[in-house]
Amino acid sequence: MIEPQRPPDGAVRPPAAPARSRSARTTALLSLAAGAGGSLLVSVVLTGMASGDRREPHLSPSAAGAPPVFRVYLDAAGSDAADGRDPAHAVASLARAQQVVAAARPKTDVEIRIRRGVYSSPPLIWKTYVPGHSISFLPADYRYGGDLAGIAGRPVFRGTGGVGYWLRAEPPPAGTGDTALRFYYLQVERYSSGGIMFDGGTRPSSAGVLVGGPTSVDGNTVYGVRFSAIGSKYVPTALGYGAVDLVNSRRNIIEQNEFSGIENSGDPAQAALVHGVYLAHRSSGNIIRGNRFDMVSGDPVRTRNASGDNKVSGNVFVRAGSKAYFSDWFQRRADASVPRECASLENRFYDNTLTSGYNGPVRTWSASPGTDTSTGGTGCGPEPAQRVLAWGNRTG
């Protein structure tokens, strides 16, 4: 492992376009496209830096005469017998909010406006989307482009002790395009498996390699959310895997979040299973930027199984990581019940602040099994490529 590794020209940031050619397979797998789904009252715009990174969604005025956003109001003192269409008739749960949106079948962007409070919320599967539009989960008093200082406080979603994720987004029953779920300035705490999972599903290929399902869950945003007390240390009913967990999910932005107390109890192997952000099974082209990882018993950012071309930059890591701050891993051996997997290629880990590992010093990054250029064997692509590119990381 070369550490840190810089681009050949010594630039601090990667170039705007790839500096070298890639195979057709790599280009198809790792391409980064702009997210779909604008708003009607406002338009979601993804702007880029000189490096080609997308910025977080911000909003600008839309054309005059556009239909209003479809809003559902959520209040811990509300009632699930209500319709949620105004603050005086707020619903009490996200499950009921999903029913309202699904029944209305809006043709505009959707906002679920959440009043400050504590919501006792069991794990929820989310399967409702608006093609071509976004669904945003945000505080009732939040204004787009603002920050935490502009709201009374984050609404808190607290687990009830069962097994699962706070919100697990599964693919729509039909159709293609981004699912465009957007989460702003919430707090998610005390869940066993994890906080948010974008779950596009998996299936074995004809070559016996685990690949993504036919419909993925793409183009989502998690911004300014605080994840805390995630994993079996806090909810012993099951092991934790990821505060934000991606399976077959691409082109997501995970930015300015706090990951604090993401921990499994038990032996070191169990403690290492939980991550702050876990990108698995063809989860490529994602941006993880400007987050803080504090007290994470596993490697805070992990990629797995052909989840390449992700950019991890500007993050702060404090007491986080069992072996490394960033790691790639895949299942090399397989049996009748466990398909083989592939290495993830050309992930970028740069300009991060590395303070301390969970139990002592850890590496900047690691890639296992195999070498730093392993692809994973038959069915994973014939040409070797660097699994992790790292530069500009500093201790602090």
Side-chain angles (χ1 to χ4, degrees), residues 114-128:
I114 307 166
R115 187 174 182 180
R116 183 186 182 188
V118 177
Y119 296 81
S120 180
S121 185
L124 174 67
I125 294 178
W126 190 274
K127 300 183 73 169
T128 300

Side-chain angles (χ1 to χ4, degrees), residues 255-341:
E255 184 166 12
Q256 296 295 323
N257 304 289
E258 299 176 29
F259 299 88
S260 179
I262 314 300
E263 302 170 273
N264 280 339
S265 58
D267 60 39
Q270 291 177 321
L273 290 176
V274 69
H275 312 283
V277 179
Y278 191 6
L279 308 108
H281 311 306
R282 269 62 179 182
S283 291
S284 300
N286 300 288
I287 291 174
I288 300 94
R289 176 176 53 211
N291 306 283
R292 181 180 176 88
F293 298 84
D294 191 352
M295 296 294 290
V296 183
S297 64
D299 296 340
V301 181
R302 166 163 286 189
T303 53
R304 175 179 176 179
N305 188 24
S307 297
D309 199 30
N310 296 292
K311 297 179 180 179
V312 183
S313 67
N315 304 284
V316 176
F317 301 92
V318 180
R319 282 208 65 185
S322 60
K323 294 182 179 179
Y325 297 106
F326 176 91
S327 61
D328 178 56
W329 180 85
F330 68 98
Q331 178 70 43
R332 169 180 278 180
R333 295 184 179 180
D335 56 34
S337 61
V338 181
R340 188 166 47 84
E341 300 177 3

